[in-house]
Coordinates of all heavy atoms in Angstrom, one line a residue:
L18 N 34.7 34.6 17.0 CA 34.9 34.4 18.5 C 35.4 33.0 18.7 O 36.4 32.7 19.4 CB 33.6 34.6 19.2 CG 33.6 34.2 20.7 CD1 34.5 35.2 21.5 CD2 32.2 34.4 21.3
R19 N 34.9 32.0 18.0 CA 35.3 30.6 18.3 C 36.6 30.2 17.7 O 37.2 29.3 18.0 CB 34.1 29.6 17.7 CG 32.8 29.8 18.5 CD 31.6 29.1 17.8 NE 31.9 27.7 17.9 CZ 31.6 26.9 19.0 NH1 31.2 27.5 20.1 NH2 31.9 25.6 19.0
R20 N 37.1 31.1 16.7 CA 38.4 30.9 16.1 C 39.5 31.6 17.0 O 40.6 31.5 16.8 CB 38.4 31.5 14.7 CG 37.8 30.7 13.7 CD 38.1 31.2 12.2 NE 37.8 30.3 11.2 CZ 38.2 30.3 10.0 NH1 39.2 31.2 9.7 NH2 37.8 29.4 9.1
G21 N 39.0 32.4 17.9 CA 39.9 33.1 18.8 C 40.3 34.4 18.2 O 41.3 35.1 18.7
Y22 N 39.6 34.9 17.1 CA 39.9 36.3 16.6 C 39.4 37.3 17.5 O 39.9 38.5 17.4 CB 39.3 36.4 15.2 CG 39.8 35.5 14.1 CD1 39.2 35.3 12.9 CD2 41.0 34.7 14.3 CE1 39.7 34.6 11.8 CE2 41.5 33.9 13.3 CZ 40.8 33.8 12.1 OH 41.2 33.0 11.1
L23 N 38.4 37.1 18.2 CA 37.8 38.0 19.1 C 37.9 37.5 20.6 O 37.8 36.2 20.7 CB 36.3 38.3 18.8 CG 36.0 39.0 17.5 CD1 34.5 39.0 17.3 CD2 36.5 40.5 17.5
V24 N 38.0 38.3 21.5 CA 37.9 37.9 22.9 C 36.5 38.0 23.4 O 35.6 38.8 22.7 CB 38.8 38.7 23.9 CG1 40.3 38.5 23.4 CG2 38.5 40.2 23.9
D25 N 36.2 37.4 24.5 CA 34.7 37.4 24.9 C 34.2 38.8 25.1 O 33.0 39.1 24.7 CB 34.6 36.7 26.3 CG 34.7 35.2 26.1 OD1 34.9 34.7 25.0 OD2 34.6 34.5 27.2
D26 N 35.0 39.7 25.7 CA 34.5 41.1 25.9 C 34.2 41.8 24.6 O 33.2 42.5 24.5 CB 35.5 41.8 26.6 CG 35.1 43.3 26.9 OD1 34.1 43.5 27.7 OD2 35.7 44.2 26.4
E27 N 35.0 41.6 23.5 CA 34.7 42.2 22.3 C 33.4 41.7 21.7 O 32.5 42.4 21.2 CB 35.9 42.0 21.3 CG 37.1 42.8 21.7 CD 38.2 42.3 20.8 OE1 38.5 41.2 20.6 OE2 39.0 43.2 20.3
A28 N 33.2 40.4 21.7 CA 32.0 39.8 21.2 C 30.8 40.3 21.9 O 29.7 40.5 21.4 CB 32.1 38.3 21.1
T29 N 30.9 40.3 23.3 CA 29.8 40.8 24.2 C 29.4 42.3 23.7 O 28.2 42.5 23.6 CB 30.2 40.8 25.6 OG1 30.5 39.5 26.0 CG2 29.2 41.5 26.5
R30 N 30.3 43.1 23.5 CA 30.0 44.5 23.1 C 29.3 44.5 21.8 O 28.4 45.3 21.6 CB 31.4 45.3 23.1 CG 32.0 45.6 24.4 CD 33.3 46.3 24.2 NE 33.1 47.5 23.6 CZ 34.1 48.3 23.0 NH1 35.3 47.8 22.9 NH2 33.9 49.5 22.5
I31 N 29.8 43.7 20.8 CA 29.2 43.6 19.5 C 27.7 43.2 19.6 O 26.9 43.9 19.1 CB 30.0 42.7 18.6 CG1 31.3 43.3 18.3 CG2 29.2 42.5 17.2 CD1 32.3 42.4 17.5
Y32 N 27.5 42.1 20.3 CA 26.1 41.6 20.4 C 25.2 42.5 21.2 O 24.0 42.7 20.8 CB 26.1 40.2 20.9 CG 26.7 39.1 20.0 CD1 27.6 38.3 20.3 CD2 26.1 38.9 18.7 CE1 28.2 37.3 19.4 CE2 26.5 38.0 17.8 CZ 27.6 37.2 18.3 OH 28.1 36.2 17.3
R33 N 25.8 43.1 22.2 CA 24.9 43.9 23.0 C 24.5 45.2 22.2 O 23.4 45.6 22.2 CB 25.6 44.4 24.3 CG 24.8 45.2 25.2 CD 25.7 45.8 26.3 NE 26.3 44.9 27.1 CZ 27.6 45.0 27.4 NH1 28.4 45.9 26.9 NH2 28.2 44.1 28.1
T34 N 25.5 45.7 21.5 CA 25.1 46.9 20.6 C 24.1 46.6 19.5 O 23.2 47.3 19.3 CB 26.5 47.4 20.0 OG1 27.4 47.8 21.0 CG2 26.2 48.6 19.1
M35 N 24.3 45.4 19.0 CA 23.3 45.0 17.9 C 21.9 45.0 18.5 O 20.9 45.4 17.9 CB 23.7 43.6 17.3 CG 24.9 43.6 16.5 SD 25.4 42.0 15.9 CE 24.3 41.6 14.7
A36 N 21.8 44.3 19.7 CA 20.5 44.3 20.3 C 20.0 45.6 20.7 O 18.8 45.9 20.5 CB 20.6 43.3 21.5
D37 N 20.9 46.6 21.2 CA 20.5 47.9 21.6 C 19.9 48.6 20.4 O 19.0 49.5 20.5 CB 21.6 48.7 22.1 CG 21.8 48.3 23.7 OD1 21.0 47.6 24.2 OD2 22.9 48.6 24.1
L38 N 20.4 48.3 19.2 CA 20.0 49.1 18.0 C 18.9 48.5 17.3 O 18.5 48.9 16.2 CB 21.3 49.1 17.0 CG 22.5 49.9 17.5 CD1 23.7 49.8 16.5 CD2 22.1 51.4 17.7
G39 N 18.3 47.4 17.9 CA 17.1 46.9 17.4 C 17.3 45.9 16.3 O 16.4 45.6 15.5
L40 N 18.5 45.3 16.2 CA 18.9 44.4 15.1 C 18.8 43.0 15.6 O 19.1 42.6 16.8 CB 20.3 44.6 14.6 CG 20.5 46.0 14.0 CD1 22.0 46.3 13.8 CD2 19.8 46.0 12.6
P41 N 18.3 42.0 14.7 CA 18.1 40.7 15.1 C 19.5 39.9 15.2 O 20.4 40.2 14.4 CB 17.3 40.1 14.0 CG 17.6 40.9 12.8 CD 17.9 42.3 13.3
L42 N 19.7 39.1 16.3 CA 20.8 38.2 16.5 C 20.5 36.8 15.9 O 21.4 36.0 15.7 CB 21.3 38.2 17.8 CG 21.5 39.6 18.5 CD1 22.0 39.3 20.0 CD2 22.5 40.4 17.8
W43 N 19.2 36.5 15.9 CA 18.8 35.2 15.5 C 17.5 35.2 14.7 O 16.6 36.0 15.0 CB 18.6 34.4 16.7 CG 18.2 32.9 16.5 CD1 16.9 32.4 16.6 CD2 19.0 31.8 16.0 NE1 16.9 31.1 16.2 CE2 18.2 30.7 15.8 CE3 20.3 31.7 15.7 CZ2 18.6 29.5 15.4 CZ3 20.9 30.5 15.2 CH2 19.9 29.4 15.1
D44 N 17.3 34.2 13.9 CA 16.1 34.0 13.2 C 16.0 32.5 12.9 O 17.0 31.9 12.6 CB 16.1 34.8 11.9 CG 14.7 34.7 11.2 OD1 14.4 33.7 10.4 OD2 13.8 35.5 11.4
P45 N 14.8 31.9 12.9 CA 14.7 30.4 12.6 C 15.3 30.0 11.4 O 15.6 28.9 11.2 CB 13.2 30.2 12.8 CG 12.7 31.3 13.7 CD 13.5 32.4 13.4
I46 N 15.3 31.0 10.4 CA 15.9 30.6 9.1 C 17.3 30.1 9.2 O 17.9 29.3 8.3 CB 15.8 31.8 8.1 CG1 16.0 31.2 6.7 CG2 16.8 32.9 8.4 CD1 15.6 32.2 5.6
L47 N 18.1 30.6 10.3 CA 19.4 30.1 10.4 C 19.5 28.6 10.8 O 20.6 28.1 10.7 CB 20.1 30.9 11.5 CG 20.3 32.4 11.2 CD1 21.0 33.1 12.4 CD2 21.2 32.6 10.0
E48 N 18.4 28.0 11.2 CA 18.4 26.5 11.5 C 18.5 25.8 10.2 O 18.9 24.5 10.3 CB 17.1 26.2 12.2 CG 17.0 26.8 13.6 CD 15.7 26.6 14.3 OE1 14.8 26.0 13.6 OE2 15.5 27.0 15.4
S49 N 18.3 26.4 9.0 CA 18.5 25.7 7.8 C 19.9 25.6 7.4 O 20.3 26.5 6.7 CB 17.6 26.2 6.7 OG 17.8 25.7 5.5
R50 N 20.7 24.7 7.9 CA 22.1 24.6 7.6 C 22.3 24.4 6.1 O 23.2 24.9 5.5 CB 22.8 23.4 8.4 CG 24.2 23.2 8.1 CD 24.9 22.3 9.1 NE 26.1 21.8 8.7 CZ 26.2 20.5 8.2 NH1 25.2 19.8 8.1 NH2 27.4 20.0 7.9
G51 N 21.5 23.7 5.5 CA 21.5 23.6 4.0 C 21.4 24.8 3.2 O 22.1 25.1 2.2
L52 N 20.6 25.8 3.7 CA 20.4 27.1 3.1 C 21.7 27.9 3.2 O 22.2 28.5 2.3 CB 19.3 27.8 3.8 CG 19.1 29.2 3.2 CD1 18.6 29.2 1.7 CD2 18.0 30.0 4.0
L53 N 22.3 27.8 4.4 CA 23.5 28.5 4.6 C 24.7 28.0 3.8 O 25.6 28.7 3.2 CB 24.0 28.4 6.1 CG 23.0 29.2 7.1 CD1 23.6 29.1 8.5 CD2 22.8 30.6 6.7
L54 N 24.7 26.7 3.6 CA 25.8 26.0 2.7 C 25.4 26.4 1.3 O 26.5 26.7 0.5 CB 25.7 24.5 2.8 CG 26.1 24.0 4.2 CD1 26.2 22.5 4.2 CD2 27.5 24.5 4.7
Q55 N 24.2 26.5 0.9 CA 23.9 27.0 -0.5 C 24.4 28.5 -0.6 O 24.9 28.8 -1.7 CB 22.3 26.9 -0.7 CG 21.9 27.5 -2.0 CD 20.4 27.6 -2.1 OE1 19.6 26.9 -1.5 NE2 19.8 28.6 -2.8
A56 N 24.1 29.3 0.4 CA 24.6 30.6 0.4 C 26.1 30.7 0.3 O 26.6 31.5 -0.5 CB 24.2 31.4 1.7

């Protein structure tokens, strides 16, 4: 989205569907930037 590959409406549909399906969009583990860089 932030690169402009998706428009707002497409991203909205994706995130809304994820939430509707009971999937997490966020977890505190994502706050560990070092872990993501390691990944």
Side-chain angles (χ1 to χ4, degrees):
L18 176 63
R19 296 173 67 79
R20 283 188 170 204
Y22 293 171
L23 293 171
V24 299
D25 285 2
D26 179 65
E27 290 172 316
T29 295
R30 292 175 63 199
I31 291 170
Y32 286 125
R33 186 192 300 129
T34 300
M35 292 173 73
D37 283 346
L38 297 176
L40 294 170
L42 308 182
W43 178 260
D44 187 275
I46 198 169
L47 294 178
E48 295 174 353
S49 175
R50 180 164 160 260
L52 179 67
L53 296 181
L54 296 182
Q55 175 190 331

